[in-house]
Amino acid sequence: MTVPRSTLRLQFHRGFTFDDAARRVEYFAALGISHLYASPVTTAEPGSQHGYDTVDYTQVSAECGGEAGLQRLVEKLRAHGMGLIVDIVPNHMGVGGSSNAWWLDILEWGRHSPYARHFDVDWHSPDPALRGKVLLPTLGAQYGDELAAGRIALRFAADSGRFLIGYGPHVFPVCPVDYPAILQSADRADLSALAARFQGLTTQPADQPRAAEARDALREFVAREGESALEFVLETYAPEDPVTRDRLHRLLEKQHFRLAWWRTASDEVNWRRFFDISTLAAVRVERPEVFEAVHALIFRLYRDGLVDGLRIDHIDGLAEPREYTQRLRQRLTELRETTPYVVVEKILGRGEALRDDWPVDGTTGYDFMNDVGALLHDPAGAEPLARTWSELTGRSPRFADEALDARRKILAENLTAELDRAARALHRIARDSLTTRDFTYPTLRRVLTELVVHFPVYRMYPQSAVRSAADNVYFDVALAGARATLPRSDHAALERVNAWLGGSAEEPPPARTGAPAGAGSSGATGAAQAQPQGPNAGPPSHVNSARRNAQALFSQLSAPLAAKAIEDTACYRYGRLLSRNEVGADPGEFALSVEQFHAGNQERAQRFPHALLATATHDHKRGEDVRARLAVLSEIADEWSATLRAWSTLNAPQRRALDGTPVNSVSQDKSDAWAPGPAAEAMLYQTLVGCWPPQLRPDDDAGVKELAERVAQWQLKALREAKLHTSWLAPDEAYEAGCREFLFDILAPQRRDGFLKELAAFVERIGRAGALNSLQQTVLRLTSPGIPDLYQGTELWDFSLVDPDNRRPVDFAQREAWLAPTQTPPSEFLADWRDGRVKLAMIQRVLALRTHLPELLSQGAYLPLAVRGKHAASVIAFARRHGNAWAVVVASRLAARLLGVDEASGDAAAPGTQADLPLVDPARWEDTAVEMPADLSARALFDWLSPAAPKVDDGLLYLRDALTVMPVAVLVEDGVPRS
């Protein structure tokens, strides 16, 4: 296996193609990257900016440069000794446009399409209007209104010979079985002759080739006679006239799809989506033929040596992740002799381990991002910040409360159809047994609701329809929550559902309720006599299959529920400190101790030493340096609380009424009866503090306006994701406009001597501590066990917000121009830290060390080092050892007080002076020292990041010697080349 030394993630789209990346390969190589890590390269919806809406798994994206462009990129990489890892999306495809041939085919032929089983469609919907059909929640208004308005029409595609239903840019193919009636409506002999070619067709696969031949004849006819030959045909289905409109409606009713208002999706969609996105349809990759079709291109690219490894998107969406990864590893190994490098996108809860029976190299790094982010926070700030948040907003100080409310809301409003489908699977199991057939559908739905809203992680992974001990750790939490909230009359059903969802391979005995026979919800207890008994009497195979189906549906409900409720709802409602509201993190977990961070690194070193280590991704909600700066607020919680109140008072005149109109004054109570409201306003101030560029001045009107536009984009998304005053489903445009006007008012040029001045001054005060946090975070990512991953552009300061802000074009030319000779230590750039070049130099320098001593940081043992002295709590240190080679990593942390951030502010320090640097004055460390390994006591060490060569004194490395010119150090033995 070719294990990367380091990866760099690139987002490909038509604005940044394979050839654009190829032109930067020299820069990536000089930076020290061993593998590019590409967003999906398969064909996506036209204009896609991310590639996750694949419409053709078999072709490399032409917009990104096609296969020829990909080959040119790989050739350039190979010339520099580099490789390529690609992101693949086996869980879902884009179906929001008219480019997905598989999807269009099932709309045309229904259950008899060769692709009908490629998608997770429920062809046996309990709704008679949907049986054998696919719900298409595409319409902008109710079906009848759109039909009457003439926005739904019959069209003919001359290039393919197909009749289509058109709606705006969307087209939906009409089944050829209905072509005779369409063509005969014109009462013309030539068209009747063409209609005869379609007579007698059925949707059976055997008839589909004949339909294709008949369509060819129709296409040739139109090419010869002109499209006007079908004008009268189309007019007989024109939506403008009531008679022809009724004929169009009756034609629509015969199709294998049902056009519907987009709002019906949450309640009625009869196919599995990606989360609640109705333009992304889930794929049944667990089926062997679908697995092969989905991976055909990737397997060929891997076989031919263009691809060296894979990143698996949304592994938790798959029915059987374990079987999938095992099959994938086997197929890749068959194609090439080398073992493939494979990582999976997996959100892990605290204490949740990536499964050992998944043959992968680890995760994509959200777990590390969570660990290192929590490490930056002072636990002493948790309680006062939570109290301030609750007092200002009237909302709960506990994230768990917001999470539970959000789970219930998402389940009730966004994932109702998915909940119903899983509940029906349980109801079918119940009906299959005499002892449980009286468990009603509503009862089982209530039970299922409480289980999923209390489920603490993304999902479970049963084997042979039975949960493992690892699964039960989390399922038991859900069971306890469900028991506490369900009425006692539902507890018997809960125990049965527990068994069906993998709690036991056997049927549990019927619950004893004490009620007379026939009175309890569990049915007659005597019915149990008819069931097989004994320790070996497991359920029959069809029951086992039904359970596996129910378990898969439960998991494919709990995972999107967790994502939508936590990441996309609660994280936008809870604002104790936004630096902890990140993908893969639990905002309820405020801080992580040094010991806990070490424990996580040690476990990673033992179990998944080649997992990716990320601090920024294409999905992050705030850039890594935004989070690092906001973490400083945990160290000055009381001051920040006072600042929040002061700014709220200062900006009160700029607030708007809920309808967006100006108000002169608003009471300072906990009411949300103004825009943006106390919670949204408090989170806005955090966002401005976090993303304010280090070199932006309050009198730079153009720069402030540019920032305001970026923040406004974030604000709109944040407000809609919170789903309190407005949402994507029901936007309140007046409220949103009021929020935007508030933002632009408080950042207006006339505030340059008021709020803008205060904001800039506050950012300046905490900026050094934020930069120190950033450098700490960066060095830990580069030296911890695992493979450091760099997100495009984050070599310099990353003050981006949630997408699309974090996917803006990257100025690689500037970064390339700023690369220093490898022998130049990063400390040379600390004086000008605001431009971010010190971060770039540090990344380049440590990656050079990984190249020079590859085994040391990729395979070396991880040894936590103890710290003693007055400021031991403000240091983290560890050693990496491989054979006789050592590296010692030392970093400042929680250093705001040592930097003097908490001291009374005066005039700003002169740039480049000690007081202006993100560096603790060496004398302030006093007796603080790292206890060094005995093997290093007699060895000379030098800092890979600065000219420092600190000495070990009686087994101690004093911080006043180790961190003289940089806030972090990577110490290696003297004599190691620097270039």
Side-chain angles (χ1 to χ4, degrees), residues 654 656-657 660-661 675-676 733-743:
Q654 316 313 323
R656 300 291 194 274
T661 59
E733 295 180 357
Y735 168 74
E736 293 170 356
C739 292
R740 178 182 171 89
E741 289 165 7
F742 175 82
L743 166 63

Side-chain angles (χ1 to χ4, degrees), residues 497-517:
V497 171
N498 173 27
W500 296 334
L501 292 180
S504 171
E506 301 177 12
E507 281 291 302
R512 299 180 63 86
T513 64

Side-chain angles (χ1 to χ4, degrees), residues 521-858:
S521 64
S522 61
T525 57
Q529 304 298 322
Q531 300 300 312
Q533 303 295 314
N536 298 317
S541 59
H542 73 281
V543 173
N544 198 50
S545 176
R547 289 185 180 184
R548 290 185 63 140
N549 179 55
Q551 291 162 14
L553 290 173
F554 177 85
S555 296
Q556 290 172 330
L557 173 63
S558 66
L561 177 61
K564 294 301 296 181
I566 304 304
E567 297 170 22
D568 293 345
T569 304
C571 279
Y572 287 101
R573 293 181 172 188
Y574 183 74
R576 171 171 61 177
L577 196 55
L578 296 182
S579 45
R580 292 300 295 135
N581 294 21
E582 192 49 80
V583 179
D586 174 8
E589 178 190 70
F590 190 74
L592 204 67
S593 69
V594 169
E595 292 73 22
Q596 289 171 313
F597 180 80
H598 284 321
N601 268 353
Q602 287 174 311
E603 181 181 5
R604 198 173 294 109
Q606 294 167 4
R607 299 185 64 241
F608 294 101
H610 305 315
L612 290 183
L613 307 178
T615 49
T617 75
H618 62 284
D619 280 333
H620 68 234
K621 297 186 181 301
R622 290 162 193 86
E624 60 187 34
D625 301 312
V626 175
R627 300 193 306 270
R629 184 190 287 168
L630 287 177
V632 177
L633 303 182
S634 70
E635 302 181 65
I636 55 169
D638 290 339
E639 180 186 348
W640 173 244
S641 297
T643 300
L644 268 180
R645 290 183 167 90
W647 287 353
S648 183
T649 300
L650 177 63
N651 291 322
Q654 316 313 323
R655 295 170 180 166
R656 300 291 194 274
L658 286 182
D659 62 3
T661 59
V663 293
N664 293 323
S665 63
V666 179
S667 63
Q668 296 292 315
D669 61 15
K670 298 175 184 177
S671 169
D672 284 5
W674 45 272
E681 184 182 10
M683 288 192 276
L684 173 61
Y685 293 141
Q686 286 190 54
T687 300
L688 290 170
V689 166
C691 73
W692 184 274
Q695 296 175 306
L696 180 62
R697 303 184 312 275
D699 60 353
D700 179 355
D701 294 349
V704 172
K705 183 178 180 182
E706 179 185 359
L707 176 66
E709 291 288 356
R710 289 178 48 218
V711 174
Q713 198 173 40
W714 161 83
Q715 183 185 55
L716 178 62
K717 181 166 184 171
L719 293 171
R720 289 186 175 181
E721 295 286 12
K723 306 170 186 70
L724 294 171
H725 295 296
T726 186
S727 69
W728 298 107
L729 290 176
D732 184 335
E733 295 180 357
Y735 168 74
E736 293 170 356
C739 292
R740 178 182 171 89
E741 289 165 7
F742 175 82
L743 166 63
F744 277 84
D745 275 352
I746 67 174
L747 297 183
Q750 58 265 37
R751 317 283 176 225
R752 64 172 60 127
D753 293 324
F755 173 67
L756 275 174
K757 182 178 179 180
E758 290 195 17
L759 172 63
F762 187 86
V763 172
E764 181 68 16
R765 280 194 56 217
I766 69 169
R768 292 187 301 136
L772 184 147
N773 278 347
S774 292
L775 296 179
Q776 172 201 352
Q777 178 175 251
T778 299
V779 79
L780 293 179
R781 171 166 51 94
L782 295 170
T783 58
S784 290
I787 310 301
D789 175 46
L790 186 70
Y791 181 65
Q792 60 177 30
T794 58
E795 307 94 297
L796 298 179
W797 296 134
D798 174 26
F799 292 104
S800 64
L801 299 172
V802 72
D803 65 280
D805 194 58
N806 64 7
R807 301 177 190 178
R808 286 174 293 157
V810 177
D811 187 351
F812 285 116
Q814 180 196 45
R815 287 157 176 77
E816 186 169 10
W818 278 8
L819 277 181
T822 53
Q823 65 269 24
T824 304
S827 57
E828 293 289 319
F829 306 103
L830 191 66
D832 297 317
W833 61 270
R834 287 174 180 81
D835 64 16
R837 194 171 177 183
V838 62
K839 182 183 178 186
L840 171 65
M842 193 167 78
I843 292 170
Q844 180 189 12
R845 191 78 175 118
V846 181
L847 291 183
L849 176 62
R850 295 186 73 100
T851 302
H852 185 71
L853 297 173
E855 294 85 5
L856 177 60
L857 293 177
S858 65

